[in-house]
Amino acid sequence: MAKYPQWSYSQSRANMFDECLRKYYFHYYAAHNGWSEKLGSDEQIHAYRLKQLRNFYLLFGDLAHRMCESALRQWEESQTAPRQAFLLEQMRKLLNEAYIQSQDVEAWINNPKYHTMLSEIYYGDDTLNSRIATIKQRQEECIRHLYDTLTWKEVTRRDMKILEIEKWDTMILFDTKVYVKMDLLYRKPDGTVVIVDWKTGREDDFSDQLYLYASYVQEKYNMPLDKIQIRVEYLVTGEHKEYRITTEDIGKVEQSIGRYIEEMKSCLDDDYYNRPKPESFFTPMPSQRKCKDCNFREICEFRAV
């Protein structure tokens, strides 16, 4: 087993790099090999365990994506769709299971990768009840709006072709493996391909990674940019926004990724092995907003909460 983690880039990695360098260190380096008592030190095992914590909002977002994926795959296979009541019941069941599992700390300690532990419960956060109430409302709205979205209405037409659903892939930029996973990609009869991003949060939640997806589609499917469309579906409100992509958009996001890669590599003592500089090099960036949901507050002496 490698002493250091494999080097790669993703949008989530860049987001964490911006959020807090100490959190970035804990997540990508301190937790490496912590899944094994034979390979990892006590500190690595502890960091790896905390890395597996999930908060209610992230769990809900993941489950909403799973419900969308399930509905799309059933349509692709049989041209039928799951009932809304079934999807809602499944989401409620999985959320309840996560809550129940989170009561068993010992089971999570012994198997953190496959036993859910919600961070709100682990840390005894006072936000738990309000978050549960918010998610109960959002789950009903998301399921209710799914079948009314423009995407669902289009993709269920006979002349549409689904190309990818939640498929992990990679592309190479600046000699770095860059991870790509689109929620949905489909082709219209006129040859236009649509990149769909499901959102379960606020309506101004747009990420530049969607331009990266367009670059990936352009390369993999040999598509001109004027035949690629980005659509963001806001499931909570039932609204959507559409974007066309220009060469300048692609250039800007690739330049941004290049800067991130350069800055991330400046935190390494050896970029061939991806060996990080000492922990002290990764400057903590404490704040009430950032620290209150940080998985690693238990081991971070600089936490603001």
Side-chain angles (χ1 to χ4, degrees):
M1 185 65 65
K3 186 175 182 180
Y4 304 105
Q6 186 182 57
W7 166 250
S8 63
Y9 173 91
S10 67
Q11 183 64 47
S12 58
R13 184 173 189 140
N15 292 343
M16 193 174 294
F17 189 81
D18 281 340
E19 183 181 355
C20 176
L21 287 179
R22 185 59 59 90
K23 180 180 181 179
Y24 173 85
Y25 172 81
F26 286 144
H27 186 96
Y28 287 100
Y29 295 102
H32 182 64
N33 283 340
W35 53 81
S36 169
E37 291 185 358
K38 294 180 179 179
L39 296 173
S41 65
D42 290 344
E43 291 77 12
Q44 288 171 310
I45 292 169
H46 194 178
Y48 176 77
R49 190 180 296 137
L50 295 177
K51 178 179 177 178
Q52 308 309 315
L53 290 172
R54 309 179 73 187
N55 72 49
F56 256 117
Y57 287 142
L58 292 179
L59 175 63
F60 168 68
D62 289 344
L63 292 179
H65 278 75
R66 284 171 60 182
M67 295 303 104
C68 293
E69 178 184 1
S70 176
L72 287 164
R73 292 198 184 280
Q74 180 170 322
W75 180 264
E76 187 178 32
E77 293 172 4
S78 63
Q79 282 69 60
T80 62
R83 293 179 297 108
Q84 288 187 10
F86 172 79
L87 291 177
L88 184 57
E89 181 59 30
Q90 287 299 108
M91 186 179 291
R92 286 172 175 164
K93 177 183 176 182
L94 292 170
L95 286 168
N96 286 336
E97 286 179 357
Y99 183 89
I100 292 169
Q101 283 191 24
S102 297
Q103 309 303 315
D104 192 341
V105 178
E106 184 176 353
W108 172 71
I109 288 175
N110 292 330
N111 195 5
K113 181 69 173 179
Y114 299 103
H115 187 95
T116 301
M117 175 57 67
L118 293 165
S119 63
E120 293 91 343
I121 293 177
Y122 182 73
Y123 284 114
D125 291 349
D126 57 9
T127 60
L128 178 61
N129 290 334
S130 64
R131 290 186 176 188
I132 290 175
T134 298
I135 286 171
K136 282 183 177 179
Q137 179 182 357
R138 286 187 182 180
Q139 66 184 352
E140 294 178 0
E141 292 167 340
C142 287
I143 297 301
R144 185 175 72 252
H145 288 140
L146 172 60
Y147 293 149
D148 290 329
T149 62
L150 175 60
T151 294
W152 184 264
K153 291 175 181 177
E154 286 192 344
V155 84
T156 53
R157 288 168 43 187
R158 293 184 179 275
D159 52 0
M160 297 292 177
K161 172 66 175 177
I162 294 176
L163 301 175
E164 295 186 19
I165 305 173
E166 298 281 357
K167 177 185 174 184
W168 279 106
D169 208 339
T170 59
M171 59 190 299
I172 302 297
L173 283 176
F174 306 103
D175 298 320
T176 294
K177 182 186 292 185
V178 177
Y179 282 97
V180 175
K181 181 183 169 185
M182 291 173 287
D183 296 340
L184 172 65
L185 178 70
Y186 68 93
R187 180 183 288 119
K188 295 182 178 182
D190 66 359
T192 299
V193 294
V194 184
I195 299 168
V196 179
D197 195 48
W198 306 111
K199 294 293 187 186
T200 58
R202 61 187 187 278
E203 285 201 19
D204 60 345
D205 187 10
F206 178 85
S207 171
D208 285 347
Q209 73 175 341
L210 296 175
Y211 292 134
L212 176 64
Y213 293 168
S215 178
Y216 161 84
V217 170
Q218 181 186 33
E219 179 180 326
K220 179 175 180 178
Y221 292 94
N222 194 27
M223 295 290 299
L225 286 181
D226 61 1
K227 284 292 187 179
I228 301 174
Q229 182 180 18
I230 292 172
R231 181 182 303 140
V232 183
E233 293 278 12
Y234 298 98
L235 292 173
V236 172
T237 63
E239 302 296 324
H240 72 270
K241 293 182 180 179
E242 296 181 334
Y243 304 85
R244 288 288 182 179
I245 310 99
T246 66
T247 302
E248 289 73 21
D249 293 327
I250 299 294
K252 286 179 181 178
V253 74
E254 290 185 351
Q255 287 177 10
S256 175
I257 290 172
R259 287 193 296 271
Y260 272 112
I261 289 173
E262 184 177 351
E263 290 175 10
M264 289 172 180
K265 285 190 172 182
S266 73
C267 299
L268 303 175
D269 272 339
D270 187 324
D271 62 13
Y272 180 81
Y273 290 105
N274 193 26
R275 183 173 74 240
K277 292 181 183 297
E279 178 182 330
S280 58
F281 180 85
F282 294 81
T283 307
M285 305 173 188
S287 73
Q288 290 285 338
R289 181 184 63 81
K290 293 176 182 177
C291 295
K292 71 182 180 64
D293 278 325
C294 180
N295 286 3
F296 302 102
R297 63 187 111 152
E298 184 172 76
I299 59 175
C300 181
E301 61 182 303
F302 298 97
R303 61 190 180 276
V305 291

